[in-house]
Amino acid sequence: MDLFDSDSEEELPAGWEERSTADGRVFYANHQTQSTQWAHPVTGKRKRIAGELPFGWTSGVDEKGLLFYIDHLNKRTTYTDPRLAFAVEESGNPKEFNQRFDAYSTARGVLQGRDLSDKYAIITGANSGIGFETALSLALHGVHVVLACRNLKKANAAAAKIRAELEAAKVDVMFLDLASLRSIKQFAENYILRQWPVDMLICNAAVFGVPWQLTEDGFETTFQVNHLGHFYLIKLLEETLIQSAPSRVVVVASESHSSNKLDLTTLSMKKSEYWPILAYGRSKLCNVLMSYETNRRLKDKGVTCVSLHPGNMIYTGIKNNWWLWRFLFFLVRPFTKSLVRLLINEFLNQGAATTVYCATARELEGIGGLYFNSCCPCLPSEEALSEEVAKALWEYCDNIIEQRLSGYSL
């Protein structure tokens, strides 16, 4: 049985070895003195690992009671936990952790070495853009992915593209139109009937720059598709999320939330008041507020929720609704999110990185109520942090949905 060197970033003195316990606590063995300790012998840091072993690995206990790990793919055995590279420093504040990824990270880089074959994910708007790249990246690492989309032709083509990369990929397509409360309810009922868990609910779908119009439910389209529809979907799947705990809700928001204030009387804007940028920014502020309130309500039941900004000017279909946005994208695309010209799929893979990180990162297990940008927690706007505003928005959305549903039978 070989002893391999640790992948820890801090170099250990000669004669020391890094190991872990069954519950994920990292300890340090001094072979010269035949002693162990919890603190790193140089930095004094205490660490913990979490999450499942990589694909193809199993663990066991030897005759001395020590954990060992078997890499069945490469046919080798080691006392070094392969997850030690992902160990994070223990802190008195559970929301403090080391940043492992940044604006240049990709979704596949975030998932490198992960085996998520026992997980289920619902991704809205997964037939193109960042949503598709999120679905593809998760599926390639074993997640059973459900593409929740309005355009079934495009969704089925996306599913076929995923299977073309990995024949064994577990991917399903289900119809979901966020502009229709009827459709959202039907989707949730159909999903629940399948008795699948929801380990990750990724609220990704959005519209931008659409002309003013009302949905069949009488709400302004940007507000309903980007926010109200996702709000209703989370509520309908709440029990399934709780039964699947620990589970995560990931809400794709935007930095554009920060330039807005919330006025509940003007959320579903009149035609005379409508401005696409304003409507989009307000809907993204609603997203961030919803994520905080969802986390406050469900965290004690094992469901955490975070929101995120995916990246500036990432190439997605969302820009295609408005000619000015397409022109702006053409001008600034070479200078944002990446400092080099990459292929479009590389932009998308970068754009999906934060979503994938929030949905799968080991260090985020049990942690919610955060806003992320470039895989790093950061502060949203002051308005987005208001618990009072978040509660008022929640009650408002609850009421207008109830009022609308009382008008007809779903």
Side-chain angles (χ1 to χ4, degrees):
M1 186 176 290
D2 298 326
L3 295 177
F4 290 83
D5 291 335
S6 167
D7 290 329
S8 176
E9 292 180 356
E10 293 93 353
E11 185 176 352
L12 289 168
W16 286 83
E17 183 187 359
E18 189 177 39
R19 294 184 181 176
S20 63
T21 62
D23 65 353
R25 295 186 68 187
V26 176
F27 69 94
Y28 301 90
N30 186 335
H31 293 292
Q32 294 176 348
T33 62
Q34 298 296 304
S35 61
T36 61
Q37 62 187 58
W38 296 114
H40 190 285
V42 176
T43 66
K45 294 179 180 179
R46 296 171 181 262
K47 293 185 176 182
R48 181 181 289 274
I49 57 176
E52 69 289 335
L53 287 166
F55 179 74
W57 286 76
T58 59
S59 62
V61 180
D62 69 8
E63 64 279 0
K64 296 181 180 179
L66 296 175
L67 282 170
F68 63 88
Y69 303 88
I70 305 171
D71 179 358
H72 294 278
L73 297 180
N74 295 302
K75 296 181 174 57
R76 62 176 182 172
T77 303
T78 176
Y79 280 105
T80 302
D81 191 322
R83 298 168 294 179
L84 282 171
F86 302 102
V88 295
E89 184 179 356
E90 290 187 329
S91 169
N93 182 355
K95 292 186 179 181
E96 291 181 3
F97 48 84
N98 297 327
Q99 184 179 0
R100 295 191 287 122
F101 305 103
D102 56 26
Y104 300 100
S105 299
T106 63
R108 300 187 195 188
V110 169
L111 290 170
Q112 187 173 5
R114 300 296 302 276
D115 177 13
L116 302 169
S117 55
D118 60 338
K119 304 297 183 183
Y120 283 73
I122 297 173
I123 307 172
T124 65
N127 58 271
S128 63
I130 292 174
F132 171 75
E133 191 60 42
T134 300
L136 173 61
S137 299
L138 291 174
L140 291 177
H141 288 265
V143 178
H144 188 143
V145 175
V146 175
L147 311 184
C149 304
R150 179 177 58 86
N151 189 320
L152 290 181
K153 181 178 179 180
K154 290 183 178 179
N156 282 313
K161 189 175 179 181
I162 292 173
R163 295 191 190 99
E165 287 217 27
L166 179 64
E167 187 177 353
K170 294 169 285 187
V171 54
D172 283 273
V173 171
M174 293 182 65
F175 179 74
L176 172 65
D177 183 0
L178 290 165
S180 167
L181 297 180
R182 294 176 186 267
S183 174
I184 298 166
K185 188 167 188 281
Q186 189 65 57
F187 171 88
E189 290 175 347
N190 289 341
Y191 190 91
I192 292 169
L193 282 174
R194 300 187 184 204
Q195 298 184 324
W196 289 341
V198 182
D199 299 290
M200 313 165 204
L201 173 55
I202 300 175
C203 301
N204 167 82
V207 295
F208 174 83
V210 296
W212 184 89
Q213 56 187 338
L214 297 179
T215 66
E216 66 178 48
D217 303 303
F219 303 115
E220 189 275 312
T221 298
T222 302
F223 170 63
Q224 178 162 346
V225 172
N226 294 7
H227 173 68
L228 191 65
H230 283 126
F231 171 85
Y232 189 39
L233 179 63
I234 292 171
K235 291 209 68 179
L236 291 174
L237 293 175
E238 182 176 310
E239 287 305 314
T240 306
L241 285 162
I242 293 171
Q243 292 167 11
S244 308
S247 54
R248 306 186 192 187
V249 179
V250 177
V251 183
V252 179
S254 167
E255 279 291 281
S256 64
H257 83 273
S258 60
S259 59
N260 288 270
K261 295 288 185 180
L262 195 65
D263 183 349
L264 297 178
T265 64
T266 60
L267 273 179
S268 196
M269 305 169 76
K270 297 178 182 178
K271 188 173 183 179
S272 59
E273 303 169 336
Y274 185 73
W275 188 29
I277 291 180
L278 179 60
Y280 182 78
R282 284 181 178 176
S283 72
K284 296 291 107 176
L285 173 59
C286 289
N287 284 168
V288 181
L289 287 163
M290 175 182 69
S291 73
Y292 279 104
E293 187 62 18
T294 299
N295 190 70
R296 276 192 285 267
R297 290 171 180 261
L298 300 182
K299 63 182 178 181
D300 292 337
K301 299 178 182 179
V303 183
T304 56
C305 184
V306 300
S307 57
L308 64 98
H309 170 67
N312 295 317
M313 293 292 192
I314 294 296
Y315 189 93
T316 73
I318 197 171
K319 64 176 176 50
N320 293 331
N321 293 308
W322 194 29
W323 69 269
L324 179 57
W325 187 254
R326 294 196 299 271
F327 178 69
L328 289 172
F329 181 90
F330 175 78
L331 290 178
V332 306
R333 180 177 136 199
F335 308 105
T336 58
K337 185 63 178 180
S338 177
L339 297 178
V340 296
R341 291 178 178 269
L342 300 173
L343 296 174
I344 287 176
N345 64 342
E346 185 69 12
F347 276 94
L348 293 175
N349 203 245
Q350 284 184 347
T354 305
T355 303
V356 167
Y357 175 76
C358 290
T360 65
R362 295 180 176 100
E363 58 265 38
L364 293 182
E365 289 183 2
I367 296 176
L370 297 173
Y371 174 73
F372 285 82
N373 189 345
S374 297
C375 299
C376 181
C378 56
L379 285 176
S381 69
E382 184 177 348
E383 181 87 350
L385 289 171
S386 171
E387 185 173 344
E388 181 181 352
V389 174
K391 289 180 177 178
L393 175 63
W394 187 283
E395 292 173 2
Y396 172 80
C397 293
D398 239 354
N399 289 335
I400 61 175
I401 289 176
E402 183 178 351
Q403 290 170 10
R404 183 53 189 155
L405 296 186
S406 64
Y408 54 77
S409 175
L410 287 179

